[in-house]
Amino acid sequence: MTLPDTAANPAGADRTFQVDLRGLVDLLSHHLYSSPRVYLRELMQNAVDALTARHALEPAAPADAFGVRLYADGSVVRVEDDGVGLTEADVHTFLATIGRSSKRAEQIADQRADFIGQFGIGLLSCFLVADEIHVLSRSARTPDTPTVEWRGRGDGSYTVRTLPAAARPRPGTTITLTPRADAGEWTRPAQVHALARHFGSLLRHPVTFDDGEGGAHGTAVSVNPEPAPWTRTYPTPGARSRALAAYGEEVFGFTPLDTIELDLPAVGLKGIACVLPETVPAGRRHGHRVHVKGMLLSEQAEEILPEWAFFVRCVVDAESLRPTASRESLYEDDTLAAVRDALAERLRAWIARAAASDPDLLHRFLQAHHLAVKSLAVHDDEILRMLLPWLPFETTDGHTTLDEFARTHRTVLVTSSVEEFRQVAAIASAAGLGVVNGGYTYDRELVHRLPEIRPEATVADLDPETLTAHLDPVDRETELAAAAYLAQARDALAVFDCDVALRTFQPASAPALLVDSREARHERTRSQLAREQEGGLWGDILGALRQEAPKAQLILNQLNPLVRTAVTIEEPELARTSAEALYGQAAMLSRRPLRPAESSLINRSFLDLLAHALRKDS
C-alpha cells in the first residue's frame, strides 16, 4: 500500500487506499485459493453467470442458444461466452474496482440467487497464472453497442478503449490470458481440458473445448456432453439404479454397496449418496462433492452431512447453498444446517427401508458399518428400535446379535471394558453366564437399552461378585489342606492388594482367574498415593476421598492339575514363587496393561522356578 500525496489531501480530508495488486494476488494464492487451478473455474463461473443474465434478458431463447467456448494451445488460454456482456461504463465500474461485484449490482440485486458467484474478486485469480488479462466485451442490453476492450496488468495498471462493434460481432465476452512461463502446469491444453471437465461436467449451459489441433476452425469437444445422471429418464428403475451406481463408481472410484437418491426441492438440491462397501474408522469423515448450479464447488465438503454419516460419500448439485469467499467450501448458515438435517433424514429413511424390505442388503450394510449405525442409534430412538436387535456384539456366545443372545440369556451381563470381558469370557461361558463385551464404543450404552426393545430381558453390569458367586466352592477338607499354601500366597501377593481363594470352575485348563475391575485398581492407586503423600495438602485431599480399597482376587482352580500340585507345596519360598507365577499368568491372560511391578514379578518368578528346577535335577 502506498500513501497518497499530502499536498493533494489536506489534513482531515478523506483518503483512498492505494492497493498493491501484486501483494493482493499473493494473498489470494496463499490464503484464499487452494491452488492456481481455480483461475479456470473463476473464468467459467463468470461466463456462466453472464449466460444466466442473458437468458433473463431474453427468456424466449432456447436453453442451448448461448454457450461457453474454451481454447488453449499452450500459448494462450481463452474463455468466450455468449452472455450479457459489458458496456464501457460497466467495465470502468466493475473491472477496475477491486472487491466490487462484477454483476450489475443495482439492476439485478434481487436476482443474486440466479448467479453462482457472489464476490467480485474472481477475475483477480487469473493473475495467479498470467501477468495480463485481456477482455473484449459487447453488451446485449443495448442494440448496436460498441465493443469494449480492457487490459489489466499485474502491476495494477489497466487500459480501456472502445472498438467498432465488428471487433466482436455478437454480444458476449472473451477473456484471453497469456500464461507466464512458470504456469505451464495449469495452462497447457490437456490440463485446461481436464480442469474444465473437473469443474464444469454438470453445468447446465453447453461448454466446449478446443486445443487448436484441428486447424483454423478447430475441433471443439464437449466438456459436459450429458446432464447429471439423476436428471435423466431411464426405461426401468433397475436401469436407473445401475446408472447412478456407475456414476458413483466413476466419481469416487469404488462400487457402491447401494446408492441413495437425494432430492430437496426447497433448496433445489439433487444428487446421490454412495454407500461405502467396506468398513471405515469411526469418525473418519469423507469429503463430499458439492456443485452449485452445476459448477463444482468442493470435493471435500464435510459439512454437508452429520458426523455419524461416515458410511457414505455424496455428490450433489444445489441451487441455494451459499459458497464462501474462495468458493471452495460452504458458508455455515441456517440453510446449510437445514440441508444437513434433511439429508440425514434421507439416510435414516434408507436404513429403515433396508430393514423393512431388504434383509440381505441390511446384513451386508451392518457387516461393514455397524459402528456407524451404533453411533446413530445412541441418539436416535427410531433407529435404536429398528436396528438394535440386528446389530452384532462380541459375547460369550461369539459374535452375535443382541436379539439372538437375549433369547438364550434372559439376564444379559455387560462388562465396562474389553480387558474385563477377555478376562472372564471363557469362565463365564462355562458357568452359563451371558456376558456382552461393553468395552467398545457405544456398546455398553446400547446393551443397557435392550429392555426398551425386549421388555422381558434384564441387563446388568458384570461385577466380580456376580462372577465369583457362580464358581463352585471346594469341600472343607480340601480347603483345610490348602490353607497353609493359601496363606503363603496371600502374603506374597499382598503388595498387589490381592486376595487368594480356591474354587472349582470350567474350563479345567485354566489354572487361575484374576478378578479385578478397573474401578478397583483406580481406588487402590488413589489409596497408595494418599499413603505416600500422608501429611501434606495433597495427602489430606486424597485421604478425604479414601474408601476401603477393594481388593483384587486371584481365584485358583482346584480342577487344574497344576494348582492341585501347587497347593501341596510345603517349602515356603517355592510356595511364594508358584503363587507369584500363577498371578503373573492370570494377569497376562486378562490382557490389560501390566504395571512395572507385575512385569518384574513375572520375570522374577519365572527365573526362580527355573533355578529351582535346575537345582532339583542336579
Side-chain angles (χ1 to χ4, degrees):
M1 184 186 299
T2 60
L3 294 175
D5 182 23
T6 55
N9 292 275
D14 289 340
R15 300 170 185 268
T16 302
F17 286 107
Q18 305 299 309
V19 176
D20 178 356
L21 187 57
R22 290 190 184 278
L24 180 59
V25 171
D26 182 70
L27 181 67
L28 295 180
S29 64
H30 289 92
H31 300 285
L32 184 63
Y33 295 124
S34 61
S35 164
R37 69 177 185 167
V38 299
Y39 83 93
L40 189 67
R41 183 198 64 197
E42 297 292 339
L43 290 178
M44 294 173 65
Q45 196 159 274
N46 286 343
V48 170
D49 283 346
L51 293 179
T52 301
R54 179 76 181 271
H55 277 287
L57 189 66
E58 303 176 34
D64 59 352
F66 312 124
V68 180
R69 294 168 294 281
L70 310 178
Y71 177 88
D73 63 1
S75 60
V76 299
V77 175
R78 187 165 60 244
V79 178
E80 181 179 356
D81 67 69
D82 302 316
V84 71
L86 298 170
T87 64
E88 183 179 1
D90 292 336
V91 168
H92 282 290
T93 302
F94 300 123
L95 296 188
T97 305
I98 295 172
R100 181 174 295 179
S101 173
S102 59
K103 318 304 181 297
R104 298 176 61 89
E106 293 80 6
Q107 298 182 28
I108 60 174
D110 58 343
Q111 301 175 11
R112 297 287 276 184
D114 294 334
F115 299 93
I116 301 170
Q118 299 289 317
F119 303 89
I121 58 177
L123 194 62
L124 290 181
S125 66
C126 296
F127 286 121
L128 300 177
V129 297
D131 286 326
E132 183 173 284
I133 304 171
H134 178 229
V135 179
L136 276 179
S137 189
R138 183 178 174 190
S139 176
R141 299 179 183 278
T142 306
D144 302 323
T145 186
T147 299
V148 183
E149 180 190 59
W150 180 88
R151 289 183 183 271
R153 288 169 286 275
D155 60 5
S157 62
Y158 70 93
T159 59
V160 179
R161 62 175 180 156
T162 301
L163 303 177
R168 198 183 194 291
R170 297 190 301 171
T173 300
T174 301
I175 300 178
T176 304
L177 310 179
T178 302
R180 292 195 305 271
D182 62 355
E185 177 184 359
W186 306 109
T187 57
R188 65 180 185 269
Q191 181 69 295
V192 172
H193 186 205
L195 290 176
R197 286 278 300 162
H198 179 72
F199 289 120
S201 63
L202 297 186
L203 287 173
R204 292 86 182 268
H205 301 285
V207 182
T208 61
F209 172 77
D210 180 7
D211 61 5
E213 293 294 328
H217 298 288
T219 303
V221 295
S222 177
V223 168
N224 52 343
E226 295 182 323
W230 47 82
T231 64
R232 305 175 211 162
T233 56
Y234 299 90
T236 63
R240 183 177 184 85
S241 296
R242 288 189 294 273
L244 294 179
Y247 180 75
E249 185 172 4
E250 177 187 347
V251 170
F252 295 123
F254 63 83
T255 302
L257 185 67
D258 197 14
T259 55
I260 308 165
E261 287 206 54
L262 306 174
D263 187 4
L264 303 178
V267 291
L269 183 147
K270 288 180 178 292
I272 56 172
C274 297
V275 182
L276 290 155
E278 298 178 350
T279 304
V280 293
R284 176 181 171 184
R285 301 186 68 182
H286 291 284
H288 307 289
R289 290 176 65 94
V290 175
H291 298 251
V292 176
K293 302 177 181 67
M295 183 70 75
L296 179 64
L297 179 79
S298 174
E299 297 174 272
Q300 300 296 326
E302 296 180 353
E303 62 274 17
I304 196 74
L305 287 180
E307 291 186 7
W308 55 260
F310 52 81
F311 57 88
V312 297
R313 294 193 69 182
C314 293
V315 53
V316 299
D317 186 20
E319 296 285 340
S320 302
L321 293 179
R322 180 183 172 192
T324 59
S326 66
R327 289 194 282 270
E328 294 186 313
S329 59
L330 295 171
Y331 189 82
E332 189 69 46
D333 57 12
D334 291 342
T335 299
L336 179 58
V339 166
R340 185 164 48 237
D341 291 344
L343 292 180
E345 187 56 38
R346 298 296 187 275
L347 299 184
R348 290 189 185 94
W350 175 82
I351 295 174
R353 285 196 304 273
S357 59
D358 197 338
D360 178 63
L361 174 61
L362 180 68
H363 176 69
R364 288 184 286 124
F365 170 66
L366 291 179
Q367 271 192 320
H369 301 296
H370 60 272
L371 187 58
V373 177
K374 286 178 179 179
S375 69
L376 175 58
V378 167
H379 306 291
D380 191 308
D381 291 344
E382 182 180 353
I383 293 296
L384 176 78
R385 290 190 297 271
M386 188 186 309
L387 293 184
L388 182 58
W390 295 82
L391 292 172
F393 289 81
E394 185 180 6
T395 75
T396 46
D397 291 352
H399 282 83
T400 185
T401 65
L402 280 185
D403 193 54
E404 294 175 354
F405 193 68
R407 289 179 187 150
T408 307
H409 304 280
R410 294 294 294 271
T411 299
V412 177
L413 301 172
V414 58
T415 64
S416 60
S417 68
V418 174
E419 64 192 43
E420 289 173 7
F421 175 81
R422 291 171 177 170
Q423 180 180 335
V424 305
I427 294 162
S429 178
L433 295 176
V435 182
V436 179
N437 185 351
Y440 295 116
T441 307
Y442 310 118
D443 282 14
R444 183 166 175 266
E445 185 175 355
L446 288 173
V447 172
H448 273 285
R449 297 189 67 178
L450 178 62
E452 298 177 29
I453 313 301
R454 278 184 161 271
E456 69 277 12
T458 301
V459 176
D461 287 326
L462 177 67
D463 55 42
E465 290 76 16
T466 302
L467 181 62
T468 54
H470 283 78
L471 305 182
D472 296 327
V474 297
D475 59 70
R476 185 163 183 76
E477 289 184 5
T478 302
E479 182 85 30
L480 289 173
Y485 178 84
L486 295 177
Q488 293 281 2
R490 292 186 185 105
D491 184 62
L493 301 179
V495 65
F496 299 114
D497 290 314
C498 183
D499 195 10
V500 183
L502 187 64
R503 297 285 188 274
T504 62
F505 54 85
Q506 295 293 339
S509 58
L513 168 67
L514 182 60
V515 179
D516 192 16
S517 68
R518 180 182 299 176
E519 291 77 9
R521 291 197 301 275
H522 288 173
E523 180 59 37
R524 291 197 300 275
T525 300
R526 187 169 61 189
S527 297
Q528 182 180 356
L529 284 173
R531 289 194 296 270
E532 293 173 354
Q533 300 288 337
E534 191 167 358
L537 176 61
W538 183 237
D540 293 341
I541 294 173
L542 291 174
L545 298 173
R546 188 184 309 169
Q547 304 173 9
E548 182 64 30
K551 286 190 174 185
Q553 194 170 33
L554 180 67
I555 303 176
L556 304 179
N557 187 4
Q558 176 64 17
L559 298 180
N560 182 267
L562 178 63
V563 171
R564 288 201 301 270
T565 301
V567 296
T568 64
I569 296 174
E570 295 180 355
E571 185 181 340
E573 285 303 315
L574 182 58
R576 292 175 61 90
T577 300
S578 66
E580 290 173 344
L582 288 169
Y583 176 90
Q585 189 257 2
M588 287 191 296
L589 286 178
S590 72
R591 301 187 188 181
R592 63 168 171 78
L594 296 177
R595 290 173 285 178
E598 291 173 329
S599 298
S600 176
L601 174 139
I602 292 170
N603 292 331
R604 186 179 69 251
S605 62
F606 170 77
L607 293 175
D608 287 349
L609 287 175
L610 180 61
H612 176 81
L614 292 175
R615 286 196 305 270
K616 183 177 180 181
D617 289 341
S618 62

